[in-house]
Amino acid sequence: MTAGLWVRTGSSRGYWFVLPADEVVLGRDLDVELPISDAEVSRRHAVIAPAAGERYAVRDLGSRNGTRVNGIPEAERVLEEGDLLQLGRTQFVFRARLPALRAGDAVELAPRRSTLASPGLVPAPGPPAAPAASAPASSAVTPPAAAAATPGDTRARAAPDDDRPGDPAAPPEILGEAPALLEVFAWIRRAAPVDSPVLLRGETGTGKELAARAIHGASPRRRRPFVALNCAAVPPDLFESELFGHARGAFTGAFTGKKGLVEMAEGGTLFLDEIGECPLAAQAKLLRVLDAREVLPVGAEQPRRVDFRLLAATHRDLSAAIEAGGFRSDLYFRIKVLEIVLPPLRERPQDIPLLADRFLEEFRRLNPAVHAFAPAALDLLRRYAWPGNVRELKNAIERAVLVAAGPRIEPEDFPLELRAGLSSPEAAGGTGTCGAAAETLLRDVERRHILRVLRLAEGNKTKAAALLGVDRGTLYNKLREFGL
């Protein structure tokens, strides 16, 4: 067996590393077998070693940022064909059997003293060749044809530098180390290999769709479509057509037939977000689709066989919705074979600095001068209750990066409600209400923030209003209110 890793990200993207018959250590240290130039990778990050049954397993070596397989942190995991392995920001696609490669497309990986994402990989001459006939149809990468790779060598192989249809999209990264989130990771691992429906519950902004995508990305269906629908965003009279499709002439304006999302998810995963908003009539039809594995488009005469996995999410209490007559109990029990509850951000405050750093890195392109948080700003983030959860945190940091005037994000760069701590009872003196002290604090924070933005806009009130996210009339009213 000749197995290997295909480098998916970085300047060395598109090259192979052929796995030898013994173990390979991956890390930032130049003395490991596969050095990686990535600040988020530990010196000795992980090891890949042969496992029983002519397979390979990856084991984390106590790294700082963990080792992820298909987006999920793993201490140890046997690798499967097409698995996406991530160390820090570097991604590899695991191939259990390397297809044949042309000898002319082989390039040397300079031994030991060169790292991935550095000049250690020499570009192969000429364009990639056509796919080999012997290569499996599910190849993550379509490599050049002819001479086979030799196991045990340290040669990297050229591959096309574009994503092929079979190349699995990188699963989303669910960041965190809190015990409640580690339990979510464990449930995702249990749910991924099976086809049973999963109900994801949690407040708005907790990452339910990220969890759904992680389940799909680690499942046998990962090479097939992931189709998502927000049930709350579809008008009730169009819901059945959107989900189940319609035949030509099914209603006025239906000049052509249309595939529904159920059929578009063929072989893959259908994710119904906010399923509690699904109309009752469509609930009955969805239950029939799940039980019979066939769909009848609106206006069609014959049903069509379908093969998909259902994942659903809601922030509502569906048990209460059943009692109120707004949700069918039989559908509820059908979609709740497995249930995963996403914890709110306020229940995992230890993850806030990790998330904040990641979002800062993501948004630095908007203001490259910003590179860190002031200690007071991080303390503010920890104390806030985050009613909008991770989504609210991400938006707050994007805004802070945009308005920051120096190299560090300061408390005044955050939205007013965050600085006043209005959603946090502790920040309001433990009373849970906004008394006179909180109101005075808010007015003072608002006044100072307007002055700061005006300085940033060099006195241009139109620009200042745009930075504040208000119209110019509102800004003038505030200036009069504060006597500015």
Side-chain angles (χ1 to χ4, degrees), residues 309-484:
R309 184 192 190 174
L310 180 70
L311 304 177
T314 183
H315 75 284
R316 294 178 55 189
D317 181 352
L318 293 185
S319 299
I322 291 170
E323 292 181 8
F327 202 82
R328 294 179 62 103
S329 60
D330 46 4
L331 178 61
Y332 174 65
F333 294 119
R334 185 70 178 84
I335 64 175
K336 194 192 169 187
V337 176
L338 295 171
E339 185 177 46
I340 300 176
V341 179
L342 279 296
L345 188 55
R346 63 181 173 275
E347 291 182 7
R348 50 187 189 107
Q350 63 268 56
D351 290 339
I352 290 174
L354 176 67
L355 289 163
D357 285 340
R358 177 53 55 88
F359 294 145
L360 173 59
E361 184 176 349
E362 178 180 343
F363 294 121
R364 273 192 64 197
R365 69 185 190 281
L366 303 174
N367 188 353
V370 179
H371 60 78
F373 291 94
L378 274 179
D379 185 56
L380 180 64
L381 296 181
R382 290 190 190 97
R383 289 187 290 108
Y384 186 62
W386 299 110
N389 294 291
V390 179
R391 183 182 294 124
E392 184 185 7
L393 173 64
K394 183 176 183 178
N395 293 340
I397 291 175
E398 180 179 9
R399 178 191 185 281
V401 170
L402 279 169
V403 304
R408 300 195 307 179
I409 291 177
E410 302 289 345
E412 56 265 28
D413 296 323
F414 291 113
L416 296 174
E417 65 271 16
L418 195 158
R419 283 174 280 155
L422 296 183
S423 70
S424 172
E426 294 80 3
T431 64
T433 61
C434 300
E439 184 176 350
T440 301
L441 171 62
L442 178 58
R443 284 180 56 82
D444 182 57
V445 166
E446 188 176 12
R447 182 180 182 278
R448 286 189 289 111
H449 183 61
I450 289 173
L451 283 171
R452 184 172 177 278
V453 172
L454 276 170
R455 286 195 300 270
L456 187 65
E458 298 177 339
N460 186 319
K461 294 181 176 59
T462 301
K463 183 179 178 181
L467 288 172
L468 289 165
V470 299
D471 58 55
R472 195 166 57 173
T474 300
L475 176 58
Y476 277 113
N477 289 339
K478 285 293 180 181
L479 292 175
R480 282 194 294 270
E481 178 183 338
F482 294 126
L484 300 174

Side-chain angles (χ1 to χ4, degrees), residues 63-295:
S63 65
R64 180 167 52 94
N65 292 319
T67 299
R68 292 173 177 266
V69 179
N70 300 320
I72 306 301
E74 300 283 2
E76 187 168 4
R77 162 87 175 252
V78 174
L79 295 171
E80 304 288 347
E81 172 67 25
D83 276 350
L84 193 138
L85 175 65
Q86 180 168 347
L87 284 68
R89 287 197 162 277
T90 305
Q91 296 177 349
F92 304 90
V93 176
F94 174 74
R95 296 301 309 275
R97 180 174 287 104
L98 292 187
L101 302 171
R102 287 192 321 183
D105 287 324
V107 296
E108 297 292 336
L109 174 63
R112 299 284 178 151
R113 295 302 168 190
S114 292
T115 58
L116 287 178
S118 80
L121 287 174
V122 183
S134 61
S138 60
S139 295
V141 183
T142 308
T150 304
D153 71 11
T154 55
R155 305 207 310 179
R157 311 289 180 171
D161 62 0
D162 61 325
D163 282 334
R164 297 292 177 180
D167 182 20
E173 208 173 349
I174 307 174
L175 294 175
E177 302 169 346
L181 198 62
L182 296 181
E183 186 176 347
V184 169
F185 292 152
W187 274 107
I188 289 174
R189 292 188 197 98
R190 295 188 190 107
V194 299
D195 257 356
S196 304
V198 179
L199 179 62
L200 297 150
R201 290 197 301 108
E203 297 176 9
T204 298
T206 50
K208 298 184 289 296
E209 183 168 347
L210 284 179
R213 289 184 180 274
I215 293 170
H216 173 76
S219 77
R221 295 179 178 268
R222 62 182 176 272
R223 295 186 182 279
R224 304 298 297 168
F226 179 93
V227 178
L229 174 68
N230 186 332
C231 298
V234 182
D237 55 338
L238 296 178
F239 195 92
E240 290 191 30
S241 171
E242 188 71 18
L243 190 58
F244 309 118
H246 64 254
R248 179 181 178 183
F251 48 82
T252 302
F255 300 114
T256 60
K258 175 191 171 184
K259 267 189 178 182
L261 297 182
V262 167
E263 287 189 86
M264 291 174 65
E266 180 65 23
T269 301
L270 175 65
F271 174 58
L272 297 182
D273 197 7
E274 299 302 346
I275 195 170
E277 310 302 322
C278 179
L280 278 170
Q283 291 179 32
K285 197 166 183 177
L286 177 60
L287 181 62
R288 168 70 182 169
V289 170
L290 292 173
D291 287 339
R293 311 307 294 179
E294 60 183 28
V295 63

